[in-house]
């Protein structure tokens, strides 16, 4: 049985108080979709957005968290703080964090544990670079990221994997449906082997240049349980047009 799809928006470093109108439109459109809807704004908007989405089906999430629950870590945010602000999920190990902030698999694993400690759903991102794909190393790289970034045990309801080929993020380029099916199949087999009884039901999202124009082609690929959308999630109209795949 296919799990209920997840449509997740990653706003990255975009959004001010004035963006609340976009959230309101997403809240208004979400009940029409047969999917869970998640919006991950910057930290500064989480409490405000969580309050606005309180009696709606839209969940609010963070884009990163620190592994420790509190302490002397200037500028960092604990998973407990995200939960306290009203978040229900957090994106971890996004390639922009892995590249810009040199996050390692071990750090992503510690952050995943932190997310669960705080009661959040962890959305763990994996994906290969263009060079790795061209070298035929996609599965090796994704397998290594999964092995290094996930804790020993996992509960299906608390874990989401986002497959995001780095070369597809923000570029307008996407893998073919066949390539996506192959990697999602690989991730599914890996999860089912590693977490028997749970790995079969973990949602596996595709992310990287998902737009209204290609949503149907990409999101109906067998094994794709939803999308992690960057740029196109900033406009409610585009985000909901992508979500229309799940009407
Ligand atoms: P994009 O970003 O949709 O703008 O390509 C996806 C992501 O980084 O999560």
């Amino acid at each position: 049985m296919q799990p209920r799809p997840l449509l997740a928006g990653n706003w990255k470093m975009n959004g001010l108080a004035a963006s609340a109108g976009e959230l309101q439109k997403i809240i208004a459109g979400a009940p029409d979709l047969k999917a869970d809807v998640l919006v991950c704004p910057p930290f500064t908007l989480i409490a405000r957005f969580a309050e606005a989405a309180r009696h709606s089906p839209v969940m609010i999430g963070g884009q990163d968290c620190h592994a420790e629950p509190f302490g002397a870590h200037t500028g960092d945010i604990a998973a407990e703080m995200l939960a306290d602000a009203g978040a229900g999920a957090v994106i971890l190990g996004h390639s922009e964090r892995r590249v810009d902030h040199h996050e390692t698999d071990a750090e992503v694993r510690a952050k995943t544990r932190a997310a669960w400690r705080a009661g959040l759903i962890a959305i763990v991102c994996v994906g290969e670079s263009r060079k790795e794909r061209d070298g035929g190393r996609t599965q090796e790289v994704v397998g290594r990221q999964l092995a290094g970034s996930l804790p020993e045990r996992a509960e299906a309801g608390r874990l989401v994997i986002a497959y995001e080929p780095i070369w597809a993020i923000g570029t307008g380029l996407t893998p073919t449906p066949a390539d996506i099916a192959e990697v999602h199949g690989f991730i599914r087999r890996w999860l089912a082997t590693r977490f028997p009884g749970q790995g079969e039901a973990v949602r596996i999202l595709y992310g990287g240049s998902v737009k209204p124009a290609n949503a149907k082609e990409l999101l109906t690929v067998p094994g794709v349980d939803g999308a992690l959308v960057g740029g196109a999630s900033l406009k409610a109209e585009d985000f909901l047009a992508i979500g229309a795949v799940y009407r």
Side-chain angles (χ1 to χ4, degrees), residues 135-200:
R137 297 175 49 217
T138 298
Q139 293 192 7
E140 173 201 326
V141 169
V142 169
R144 194 181 62 226
Q145 289 173 329
L146 291 169
S149 305
L150 299 178
E152 308 69 47
R153 269 184 285 280
E155 234 181 84
R158 291 276 155 201
L159 177 66
V160 175
I161 303 297
Y163 168 56
E164 299 206 307
I166 299 171
W167 52 272
I169 296 175
T171 58
L173 303 172
T174 57
T176 64
D179 285 341
I180 293 175
E182 195 178 320
V183 180
H184 278 237
F186 168 76
I187 294 173
R188 175 65 67 210
R189 290 191 297 278
W190 192 97
L191 291 170
T193 305
R194 172 71 174 264
F195 308 118
Q198 296 293 319
E200 299 81 359

Side-chain angles (χ1 to χ4, degrees), residues 6 8-12 38 40 62-65 89-99 103-109 111-112 115-116 121-129 132 138 141-151 158-167 169 183-184 186-187 190-191 202-208 226-230:
L6 173 62
N10 173 11
W11 281 24
K12 309 191 178 184
L38 171 71
C40 299
Q63 300 170 14
D64 177 44
C65 72
V90 60
I91 298 168
L92 297 172
H94 189 281
S95 63
E96 285 153 18
R97 302 284 321 170
R98 291 179 185 265
V99 173
E103 278 188 16
T104 64
D105 288 338
E107 281 164 338
V108 177
R109 172 186 279 166
K111 290 176 180 209
T112 302
W116 291 344
I121 294 169
I123 301 171
V124 176
C125 303
V126 296
E128 82 287 359
S129 66
E132 288 159 347
T138 298
V141 169
V142 169
R144 194 181 62 226
Q145 289 173 329
L146 291 169
S149 305
L150 299 178
R158 291 276 155 201
L159 177 66
V160 175
I161 303 297
Y163 168 56
E164 299 206 307
I166 299 171
W167 52 272
I169 296 175
V183 180
H184 278 237
F186 168 76
I187 294 173
W190 192 97
L191 291 170
V202 170
R203 286 179 289 191
I204 307 172
L205 312 184
Y206 169 76
L228 181 53
V229 185

